[in-house]
Amino acid sequence: MTEKDKLEHILKDFPPDVKLIAVSKTKPIEEILKFYETGHKIFGENKVQEIVSKQAVMPKDIEWHFIGHLQRNKVKQIISFVHLIHGVDSFRLLQEIDNKAKQIDRQVQCLLQFHIASEETKFGLDEPEVKSILESDEFKLMENIRIKGVMGMATYTEDENLIRKEFANLKRIFDHMKKTYFLMDEEFCEISMGMSGDYKIAIEEGSTMVRIGSALFGERNY
Ligand SMILES: *Cc1c(COP(=O)(O)O)cnc(C)c1O
């Protein structure tokens, strides 16, 4: 299959408002360019060093999404170009993003990452933590971040019912936040959920952004 076929194969059952983030982590530039040349311009990476080095040499109209765990001391390296930071999982990280964005007079788009999986290992916030962030005076004073929505990862399992339940929970959290804090904010509209193995379920449960790596690029060799 050509890169165009691979994209079309995945996009064929997408509702029109769902965005595809092509997760290019570990993949070389030549392979990413093959997808870029079909017209796809949205790519996701999960390591700061890798996104920085790829962004430096690749076409400037690419939308770079940072989908990994972001350490505060590395925010500075991606702040000037990152299109959307998916994994904001602490208040201190949000403050650092706001600070660094302020220094370069930029608005930076973020998603709040929720812990929705039953596994212990996944990063993310819970609802009481997000409530305390959003209701704090410090948050209200932040001028350089835009909260675009939420992100989450389901448990890595064959159990489709469990995956569906976890995605449905993230959708419920999104709806509740929208109603409670972002009703008048049209920008709060994204639910980033779904990967190669579970994106169809995620879309059925209301995803607006899926992050797909191996189903497009093939298995990763670390
Ligand atoms: C690697 C990664 C993906 C893509 O995973 P695939 O299973 O290869 O599609 C999606 N989201 C995050 C956060 C990732 O780290």
Side-chain angles (χ1 to χ4, degrees), residues 118-119 154-163 166 197-198:
S118 47
E119 293 156 323
T155 303
Y156 188 71
T157 173
E158 303 274 293
D159 181 352
E160 291 200 358
N161 288 325
L162 179 61
I163 295 171
E166 291 171 354
D198 57 19

Side-chain angles (χ1 to χ4, degrees), residues 23 25 46 67-68 151 153 194-197 211-215 220:
V23 176
K25 64 191 188 194
N46 71 338
I67 62 169
M151 181 267 202
M153 287 166 88
M195 315 183 6
S196 293
R211 311 174 308 269
I212 297 186
S214 45
R220 289 177 289 275

Side-chain angles (χ1 to χ4, degrees), residues 14 19 42 70 109 127 129 140 184 200 217 222:
F14 270 39
K19 288 169 276 299
I42 311 177
L70 180 56
Q109 307 188 110
E127 288 186 273
E129 286 171 322
K140 287 171 194 147
M184 301 312 220
K200 287 183 182 157
F217 287 91
Y222 286 99

